[in-house]
C-alpha cells in the first residue's frame, strides 16, 4: 500500500526532517508511528498526503510513485486517503452532517447517497443524534469522532491519523483507537502518528519509531516504553 | 465492520453523470457566491458602491465629452478654412492645387483670393490705408478659402480636413476660421486622453478592490480551504465560487454605475435644454446607449474576474498544513 524507498526530506535551511527512510506498509495493516516531537512523524504523513514533496528517494502509494504525480492529480490521490487531524479541523460554520458530507459533495455524490452514507458513518461513531449541531456545540471527543466519520465517508483505502488523541482524555483516546481498529478490521489500512505510549502499549500492532528523522526500526510497545522512560 | 457497517461501494448511479456534475458545480459556485454576498450585506454593498463610483467617474467623463463634442456637431455656423499658397507657386501649379481642392470630399465651396485682391481688401478695411498703399511689393500670398460641407461642421472632422488640406503640395499654411471650434477640439482631445487614463487607473482600482475583498475572504477561510484541499477538493472546486463572486461584484457594480449615469443625465437634461434653447440652438444630451451599458457591464465583470483570479491564485499557492 505504502512504500518508502530511501526517502529523505530536507528543507532549504538545511534541516533534515527525514533521512533515508525505508518502509513498507501492507494493505489492510494497522501501523503506529511514534517518536518525540520533531522526530519527523508529521513530515512523514505530509509526504504521503503530498502536502510536501520528498527531497530524494521514491515514495509509492498503491504502486504509484506519488512524487512524480503532477499537481492537478493530487486531489484524486487524496480522495483515496482519509485524514484524521489532531484538532479535528471541522468547518465551524457547517453542521456535523455537512462536515461529514463534504468529501462526498466534492466527489459529486447524489443527495440520497450522501444522506445514506453520512447517517451510517455518524451511527458508526455514535453521533447520529447530533447531525444538525454545529461543531462548537460538541465536546473535543465528539469533534474528533466527527473528524473520523468524515475521514471514512468516502471509503478510503488508507486512513492517516495525526495525533488523533492529542487533545483527548485517556478514556476518549481509547474509544478513538477502538474506532480506528474497527475500520482496520474491515480492511482499511491505518497509519497513526501518536506519542500516546501508555495506550499503544496495549496494542498488538507494528510500531515504527522515528528519532531525529531516522526510522530506528520496529519495536514492541514494552521495549518502546522502557527505552523512552 | 462490526455492528453498523458503512454502505458498500456505490454503483455509478450514486454519483451525478459527468455532464450533470459539470453544470452542478457551476451552479454550486454561483449559489456559494450569492450566499456569501447575502450573508455579509453591509460589506457587500459598500464594495459594490466603491466599484460603481470607480466605474462611473471615467464612464461619466467620457459621456460628458461625447456631449461636448456633439455641441460642436450641433453648431450650425459656417466655418471656412483659409489656405495660404507658397508665393513661389506658378500659375499652372495654382491651377493644379485648385483642381485638387475642388475634388476633395468634404469641400463644399472653393474661393480663390489673389494677392492683389487680398491687398485691396486689406487696404479697404485697415486704418493704415496710406501706409499699405505705399508698400513697394505686395507681401500677401494667394489664398484659397475652403467652405466645408455642412455635415463636416464638427470640430474633429474640421481639424481632420484642415490637416488633409495642409498636406497638399504648395500650401504653406492653413487656418480654420473658427478659433473656438479649434479650442473645443483640443479640450475634447485632452479630456479624452484624461478619461482614458482615468479609465485605466479606475479599472486597476476595481481589480484591486475586488482582489482585496476576495483576498480578505480567502484569508478568513484559509483553514477551511486547507481542509477542503486535504479532503481531495480540486483547486477549481475551491476557486470557482470565489471567481464567481468577483464576477458578481463587477457585474452588479457596473450595472449600478450604468444606473447612476442615467440618473445623472436625466437630472441635468432639462436645465441643459433650457440653457441651449436660450442660445437659439437645439441640443439633446446623449444617454449611455444600451450597447454601451452592456459593454460597461461586460468590462466590469471581466475586471471582477481578474481581481478574483489574481487573489485566489496567490492564496492557493500558499503552503498547505496539517
Amino acid at each position: 500500500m505504502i512504500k518508502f524507498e530511501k526517502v529523505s526530506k530536507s528543507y532549504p535551511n538545511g534541516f533534515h526532517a527525514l533521512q533515508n527512510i525505508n518502509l513498507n506498509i501492507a494493505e489492510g495493516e494497522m501501523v503506529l508511528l511514534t517518536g518525540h516531537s520533531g522526530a519527523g512523524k508529521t513530515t512523514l504523513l505530509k509526504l504521503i498526503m503530498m502536502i510536501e514533496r520528498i527531497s530524494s528517494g521514491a515514495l509509492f502509494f498503491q504502486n504509484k510513485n506519488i512524487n512524480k504525480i503532477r499537481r492537478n492529480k493530487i486531489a484524486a490521490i487524496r480522495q483515496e486517503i482519509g485524514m484524521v487531524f489532531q484538532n479535528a479541523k471541522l468547518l465551524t460554520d457547517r453542521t456535523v452532517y455537512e462536515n461529514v458530507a463534504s468529501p462526498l459533495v466534492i466527489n459529486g455524490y447524489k443527495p440520497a447517497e450522501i444522506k445514506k452514507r453520512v447517517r451510517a458513518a455518524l451511527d458508526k461513531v455514535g453521533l447520529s443524534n447530533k447531525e444538525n449541531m454545529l461543531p462548537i456545540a460538541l465536546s473535543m471527543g465528539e469533534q474528533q469522532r466527527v473528524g473520523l466519520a468524515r475521514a471514512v465517508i468516502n471509503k478510503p483505502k488508507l486512513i492517516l491519523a495525526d495525533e488523533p488523541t492529542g487533545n483527548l482524555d485517556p478514556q476518549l483516546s481509547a474509544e478513538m483507537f477502538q474506532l480506528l481498529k474497527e475500520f482496520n478490521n474491515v480492511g482499511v489500512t491505518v497509519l497513526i502518528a501518536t506519542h500516546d505510549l501508555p495506550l499503544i502499549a496495549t496494542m498488538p500492532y507494528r510500531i515504527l519509531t522515528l528519532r531525529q528523522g531516522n526510522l530506528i526500526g520496529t519495536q514492541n510497545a514494552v521495549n518502546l516504553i522502557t527505552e523512552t522512560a | 465492520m462490526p455492528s453498523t457497517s458503512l454502505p458498500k461501494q456505490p454503483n455509478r448511479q450514486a454519483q451525478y453523470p459527468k455532464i450533470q456534475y459539470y453544470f452542478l458545480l457551476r451552479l454550486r459556485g454561483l449559489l456559494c457566491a450569492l450566499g456569501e454576498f447575502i450573508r455579509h450585506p453591509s460589506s457587500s454593498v459598500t464594495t459594490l458602491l466603491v466599484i460603481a463610483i470607480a466605474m462611473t467617474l471615467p464612464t461619466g467623463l467620457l459621456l460628458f465629452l461625447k456631449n461636448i463634442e456633439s455641441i460642436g456637431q450641433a453648431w450650425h455656423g459656417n466655418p471656412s478654412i483659409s489656405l495660404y499658397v507658397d508665393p513661389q507657386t506658378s500659375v499652372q501649379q495654382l491651377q493644379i492645387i485648385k483642381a485638387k481642392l475642388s475634388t476633395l470630399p468634404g469641400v463644399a465651396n472653393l474661393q480663390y483670393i489673389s494677392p492683389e485682391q487680398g491687398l485691396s481688401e486689406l487696404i479697404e478695411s485697415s486704418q493704415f490705408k496710406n501706409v499699405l498703399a505705399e508698400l513697394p511689393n505686395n507681401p500677401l500670398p494667394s489664398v484659397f478659402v475652403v467652405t466645408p460641407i455642412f455635415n463636416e461642421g464638427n470640430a474633429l472632422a474640421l481639424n481632420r480636413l484642415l490637416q488633409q488640406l495642409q498636406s497638399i503640395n504648395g500650401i504653406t499654411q492653413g487656418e480654420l476660421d473658427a478659433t473656438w471650434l479649434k479650442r473645443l477640439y483640443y479640450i475634447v482631445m485632452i479630456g479624452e486622453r484624461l478619461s482614458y487614463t482615468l479609465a485605466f487607473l479606475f479599472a486597476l482600482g476595481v481589480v484591486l478592490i475586488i482582489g482585496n475583498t476576495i483576498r480578505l475572504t480567502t484569508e478568513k477561510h484559509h483553514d477551511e480551504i486547507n481542509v477542503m484541499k486535504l479532503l481531495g477538493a480540486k483547486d477549481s472546486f475551491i476557486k470557482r465560487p470565489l471567481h464567481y463572486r468577483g464576477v458578481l461584484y463587477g457585474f452588479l457594480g457596473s450595472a449600478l454605475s450604468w444606473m447612476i449615469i442615467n440618473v445623472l443625465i436625466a437630472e441635468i437634461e432639462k436645465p441643459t435644454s433650457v440653457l441651449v434653447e436660450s442660445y437659439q440652438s437645439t441640443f439633446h444630451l446623449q444617454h449611455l446607449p444600451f450597447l454601451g451599458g452592456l459593454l460597461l457591464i461586460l468590462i466590469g465583470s471581466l475586471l471582477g474576474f481578474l481581481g478574483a483570479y489574481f487573489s485566489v491564485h496567490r492564496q492557493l499557492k500558499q503552503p498547505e498544513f496539517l
Side-chain angles (χ1 to χ4, degrees):
Chain A
M1 171 67 74
I2 300 171
K3 192 174 177 187
F4 281 67
E5 278 182 1
K6 295 182 179 173
V7 170
S8 294
K9 172 66 187 174
S10 33
Y11 292 96
N13 63 3
F15 174 67
H16 300 289
L18 291 174
Q19 297 180 64
N20 208 27
I21 302 288
N22 287 296
L23 171 64
N24 208 337
I25 298 174
E27 196 165 337
E29 196 180 0
M30 177 147 164
V31 178
L32 305 169
L33 180 66
T34 188
H36 292 292
S37 293
K41 300 189 296 293
T42 301
T43 305
L44 195 137
L45 298 186
K46 280 182 179 175
L47 294 181
I48 299 171
M49 282 296 282
M50 285 168 289
I51 294 172
E52 289 180 2
R53 297 288 183 130
I54 61 174
S55 304
S56 65
L59 172 53
F60 297 90
F61 173 65
Q62 293 192 304
N63 298 322
K64 278 180 233 162
N65 187 343
I66 57 174
N67 202 45
K68 289 185 176 169
I69 281 174
R70 284 193 300 190
R71 192 179 139 79
N72 60 349
K73 302 284 179 198
I74 289 176
I77 299 283
R78 284 180 179 167
Q79 285 168 10
E80 296 185 16
I81 302 173
M83 185 79 211
V84 181
F85 307 93
Q86 180 174 2
N87 53 1
K89 287 198 193 298
L90 301 179
L91 308 180
T92 51
D93 58 345
R94 317 267 168 94
T95 62
V96 166
Y97 182 96
E98 288 167 334
N99 267 285
V100 177
S102 36
L104 300 179
V105 174
I106 290 168
N107 280 294
Y109 280 87
K110 290 179 180 173
E113 179 69 17
I114 293 176
K115 195 173 182 180
K116 193 166 71 173
R117 284 196 179 206
V118 172
R119 293 261 161 89
L122 286 176
D123 186 34
K124 179 76 201 83
V125 298
L127 292 172
S128 50
N129 58 338
K130 301 200 170 178
E131 65 176 44
N132 294 320
M133 293 174 87
L134 288 173
I136 199 164
L138 303 178
S139 68
M140 278 310 295
E142 287 172 330
Q143 287 188 26
Q144 200 59 291
R145 280 189 277 157
V146 174
L148 179 59
R150 184 180 61 185
V152 299
I153 195 78
N154 206 19
K155 291 285 201 176
K157 295 187 169 70
L158 169 69
I159 294 177
L160 295 180
D162 184 27
E163 303 284 2
T165 58
N167 297 324
L168 305 181
D169 62 36
Q171 193 193 333
L172 289 174
S173 299
E175 283 175 20
M176 190 70 190
F177 263 94
Q178 185 57 36
L179 283 168
L180 286 165
K181 275 160 69 179
E182 286 174 11
F183 285 109
N184 176 244
N185 288 342
V186 292
V188 183
T189 311
V190 180
L191 174 60
I192 306 167
T194 180
H195 57 252
D196 196 342
L197 298 179
L199 188 69
I200 62 175
T202 62
M203 296 191 178
Y205 301 109
R206 185 153 66 113
I207 301 169
L208 305 170
T209 308
L210 281 169
R211 184 180 291 161
Q212 294 179 334
N214 291 291
L215 189 62
I216 57 170
T218 306
Q219 300 179 44
N220 64 48
V222 178
N223 286 349
L224 181 72
I225 291 167
T226 315
E227 192 179 301
T228 316
Chain B
M1 190 169 293
S3 58
T4 48
S5 61
L6 291 174
K8 295 215 181 296
Q9 200 69 263
N11 56 29
R12 284 178 183 277
Q13 297 207 333
Q15 282 171 288
Y16 286 108
K18 273 190 176 176
I19 290 280
Q20 202 179 342
Y21 187 50
Y22 174 90
F23 287 109
L24 271 174
L25 277 178
R26 273 135 194 91
L27 181 66
R28 175 195 162 270
L30 187 62
L31 291 175
C32 284
L34 279 170
E36 191 72 19
F37 198 85
I38 293 163
R39 271 195 294 275
H40 308 285
S42 59
S43 63
S44 300
V45 170
T46 309
T47 309
L48 270 190
L49 283 174
V50 174
I51 294 166
I53 291 165
M55 296 202 71
T56 301
L57 287 172
T59 315
L61 183 60
L62 265 177
L63 195 62
F64 173 73
L65 290 169
K66 286 283 167 206
N67 277 299
I68 293 282
E69 203 183 316
S70 44
I71 289 176
Q73 281 175 340
W75 178 63
H76 293 183
N78 207 10
S80 60
I81 296 170
S82 301
L83 299 171
Y84 300 100
V85 183
D86 185 349
Q88 308 301 322
T89 309
S90 64
V91 178
Q92 286 85 350
Q93 282 173 313
L94 272 174
Q95 290 304 320
I96 293 167
I97 293 170
K98 189 176 180 183
K100 199 177 246 181
L101 287 173
S102 52
T103 56
L104 278 178
V107 174
N109 191 29
L110 185 66
Q111 186 193 353
Y112 174 69
I113 301 171
S114 66
E116 295 74 30
Q117 197 182 340
L119 185 62
S120 68
E121 281 177 12
L122 186 64
I123 289 170
E124 273 179 34
S125 60
S126 171
Q127 294 176 348
F128 307 102
K129 288 177 186 170
N130 296 337
V131 179
L132 288 169
E134 293 300 317
L135 285 173
N137 296 315
N138 183 352
L140 298 179
S142 300
V143 176
F144 285 105
V145 178
V146 171
T147 307
I149 58 174
F150 177 71
N151 61 6
E152 294 289 323
N154 71 74
L156 290 170
L158 278 175
N159 271 284
R160 273 199 298 274
L161 181 64
L162 175 63
Q163 279 161 18
Q164 193 183 1
L165 295 173
Q166 277 176 324
S167 66
I168 293 172
N169 201 16
I171 303 292
T172 54
Q173 198 190 340
E175 207 170 83
L176 181 63
D177 304 333
T179 318
W180 74 270
L181 268 182
K182 241 198 301 194
R183 285 179 186 152
L184 185 66
Y185 166 74
Y186 287 113
I187 289 168
V188 169
M189 201 165 73
I190 291 166
E192 268 183 359
R193 288 186 186 176
L194 185 69
S195 58
Y196 287 136
T197 311
L198 274 179
F200 173 76
L201 289 175
F202 279 108
L204 194 65
V206 168
V207 170
L208 292 176
I209 292 161
I210 294 176
N212 194 47
T213 307
I214 302 291
R215 183 184 63 81
L216 290 174
T217 306
T218 53
E219 276 180 7
K220 196 172 134 196
H221 297 284
H222 182 58
D223 288 352
E224 181 182 334
I225 290 171
N226 182 59
V227 170
M228 294 303 274
K229 285 174 81 178
L230 295 180
L231 293 179
K234 289 181 182 170
D235 282 358
S236 58
F237 186 87
I238 294 162
K239 281 187 212 171
R240 195 171 290 114
L242 296 163
H243 285 171
Y244 284 7
R245 195 167 168 213
V247 172
L248 195 66
Y249 271 127
F251 177 86
L252 293 176
S254 47
L256 188 60
S257 165
W258 188 5
M259 215 167 74
I260 291 171
I261 289 168
N262 280 337
V263 168
L264 277 177
I265 299 251
E267 281 295 312
I268 61 168
E269 194 165 27
K270 202 170 178 189
T272 309
S273 297
V274 173
L275 178 73
V276 171
E277 275 165 22
S278 71
Y279 284 95
Q280 281 81 44
S281 185
T282 53
F283 169 71
H284 296 287
L285 273 176
Q286 284 183 29
H287 287 253
L288 188 60
F290 183 70
L291 280 178
L294 289 185
L295 185 67
L296 181 69
I297 288 177
L298 186 72
I299 291 171
S301 305
L302 186 69
L303 293 175
F305 172 75
L306 285 177
Y309 176 83
F310 290 124
S311 180
V312 174
H313 185 70
R314 204 174 50 178
Q315 174 68 34
L316 285 181
K317 275 193 158 184
Q318 290 193 6
E320 295 161 0
F321 54 92
L322 275 183

